[in-house]
Amino acid sequence: MNPLHTPEGLLTFGLRDRWYPLCPSDHVRTGELVRIDRAGEQLLLWRDAAGTVHVQEDRCPHRGARLSQGVHMGDRIACNYHGVQLDAEGTVVSVPGSPGCALEGRRVLRTFPAEEHAGAIFAWFGVDESAPPAPLEVPEPIAGGEWSQFLCYVEWDAPYLYSLDNLLDPMHGAFLHRNSHTMFAGKREAVFQIRATDKGFVFEKTDQRGVNFDWVELTHGGADWVTLDIPYPDTAGPGGPFSIVAGLCAISENRHAGFFWRCRKVSGWERDSWRFLYRNRLEARHYAVLEQDREMAEAMPADAWDRENLYQHDIALVRMRRLLKAEAAKQVARLTEPATAPPVPVA
């Protein structure tokens, strides 16, 4: 059985009917064919002559050869095995070895809707591949305007759900990151509450705000986003609180890609000042904090969820996991429901 047709498989590789960030935009240059594994799919990424990115299955519809080993032809790609040419819509436009054969003109290559935002390539993975995607709603801090942002991209050898747990756990900042330049202050004990929103929920400390990693928000806007604020000392330059927007995507069962946009609401000369300061002083400190998270996630045992003993600080994890499991069960029912047979005509 296809693992994506089971609740466990969807939890491992990611729910469908979602936009997922695949890789930074600069990982795919015009004229190149790039192969990646994401969300349980084997993908080919390429740009046409106009620079528009396309995401397709890395599998020639003729005999299953890897299209990523093929030839970039500007507005189309050609399989290197038998020369079959396909366009950006997944249609076979030429079969050089057998011109005019029945394969020509057929749209047979799985093609995923793709967009680019904030320096990253996104693709839509739908339950119904023929249905149009939901709009990709980008959080305000990475939508441009008065906000300036840097994308930090990582790949870690751990299930993506471990990173999602970590993001929804503000309390670890006061312990794991206690020696960082931003999360050294505040209490090491707290009571949390969950506050529902239109598209998710906020998990926050009830007695502290703007001191440490004090709250986190999980939202769904076509994609699943996690946002939070980190208080900044005056030495970190001009601007408001330091905001992080995070997105995750499974690469395999035990590896995932993490996208962390580090954002600040600044404009004019203050934007230039902050960007210079970030590149020259702050970026290395932020990677050091991420490295602490990586070491913790990669060392977690495979059965971590099975042998937990949770307490009040973990109510966001419980809420998130219940939501994911419920949605996975619904999607499996849709993915595995038998196709409706056409009506039999009455003689």
Side-chain angles (χ1 to χ4, degrees), residues 164-235:
L164 186 55
D165 280 351
N166 185 69
L167 287 166
L168 292 178
D169 172 22
M171 203 63 208
H172 84 269
F175 292 88
L176 182 63
H177 306 315
R178 61 186 174 273
N179 293 322
S180 74
H181 70 294
T182 56
M183 287 183 275
F184 58 88
K187 301 177 181 179
R188 291 196 183 181
E189 68 282 338
V191 176
F192 285 86
Q193 66 181 8
I194 289 181
R195 176 164 47 88
T197 65
D198 292 341
K199 296 182 179 180
F201 63 83
V202 174
F203 182 55
E204 58 193 353
K205 295 176 182 176
T206 60
D207 60 349
Q208 180 174 289
R209 189 79 170 198
V211 179
N212 200 299
F213 175 11
D214 294 331
W215 65 271
V216 62
E217 182 173 7
L218 177 66
T219 60
H220 177 68
D224 290 327
W225 306 98
V226 179
T227 58
L228 57 105
D229 280 353
I230 301 295
Y232 249 23
D234 293 339
T235 55

Side-chain angles (χ1 to χ4, degrees), residues 5-306:
H5 289 182
T6 67
E8 296 77 14
L10 286 177
L11 290 174
T12 297
F13 295 105
L15 296 174
R16 303 299 93 168
D17 285 350
R18 296 287 194 280
W19 288 94
Y20 283 104
L22 305 181
C23 65
S25 292
D26 60 11
H27 284 202
V28 183
R29 294 178 292 188
T30 300
E32 295 182 343
L33 302 176
V34 177
R35 170 187 164 77
I36 62 173
D37 293 341
R38 295 291 188 274
E41 307 286 357
Q42 299 171 339
L43 302 175
L44 166 71
L45 280 62
W46 60 285
R47 296 183 185 276
D48 59 28
T52 302
V53 71
H54 304 286
V55 179
Q56 298 176 306
E57 187 176 18
D58 189 19
R59 181 185 181 93
C60 180
H62 171 220
R63 292 270 300 281
R66 296 297 182 196
L67 291 171
S68 55
Q69 296 178 327
V71 180
H72 192 296
M73 301 181 68
D75 65 341
R76 65 185 67 180
I77 54 177
C79 179
N80 213 28
Y81 202 16
H82 297 93
V84 175
Q85 298 176 18
L86 302 109
D87 66 14
E89 302 299 320
T91 300
V92 177
V93 293
S94 177
V95 181
S98 182
C101 75
L103 188 56
E104 290 186 345
R106 293 177 59 194
R107 190 174 180 178
V108 289
L109 177 62
R110 288 182 64 199
T111 300
F112 301 81
E115 294 188 16
E116 290 188 78
H117 291 282
I121 297 170
F122 293 78
W124 170 262
F125 298 83
V127 172
D128 181 355
E129 296 174 11
S130 63
L136 174 56
E137 301 173 16
V138 178
E140 182 184 0
I142 62 172
E146 293 183 281
W147 288 87
S148 183
Q149 48 81 18
F150 292 92
L151 170 59
C152 170
Y153 174 75
V154 298
E155 294 185 12
W156 292 350
D157 290 323
Y160 88 93
L161 289 173
Y162 285 5
S163 275
L164 186 55
D165 280 351
N166 185 69
L167 287 166
L168 292 178
D169 172 22
M171 203 63 208
H172 84 269
F175 292 88
L176 182 63
H177 306 315
R178 61 186 174 273
N179 293 322
S180 74
H181 70 294
T182 56
M183 287 183 275
F184 58 88
K187 301 177 181 179
R188 291 196 183 181
E189 68 282 338
V191 176
F192 285 86
Q193 66 181 8
I194 289 181
R195 176 164 47 88
T197 65
D198 292 341
K199 296 182 179 180
F201 63 83
V202 174
F203 182 55
E204 58 193 353
K205 295 176 182 176
T206 60
D207 60 349
Q208 180 174 289
R209 189 79 170 198
V211 179
N212 200 299
F213 175 11
D214 294 331
W215 65 271
V216 62
E217 182 173 7
L218 177 66
T219 60
H220 177 68
D224 290 327
W225 306 98
V226 179
T227 58
L228 57 105
D229 280 353
I230 301 295
Y232 249 23
D234 293 339
T235 55
F242 174 60
S243 296
I244 297 177
V245 175
L248 305 170
C249 186
I251 296 175
S252 64
E253 183 177 358
N254 294 303
R255 187 172 176 81
H256 71 276
F259 298 75
F260 301 91
W261 286 271
R262 287 112 186 290
C263 317
R264 217 161 180 203
K265 197 170 186 177
V266 285
S267 58
W269 69 266
E270 290 187 337
R271 173 178 297 200
D272 296 336
S273 175
W274 178 70
R275 293 185 68 85
F276 176 82
L277 185 62
Y278 181 88
R279 284 299 193 198
N280 286 274
R281 179 180 298 178
L282 303 176
E283 186 172 31
R285 297 177 182 178
H286 295 157
Y287 269 101
V289 172
L290 270 181
E291 184 66 8
Q292 293 174 330
D293 288 325
R294 182 195 66 78
E295 291 176 351
M296 194 62 62
E298 291 189 347
M300 294 282 281
D303 63 348
W305 279 24
D306 299 328

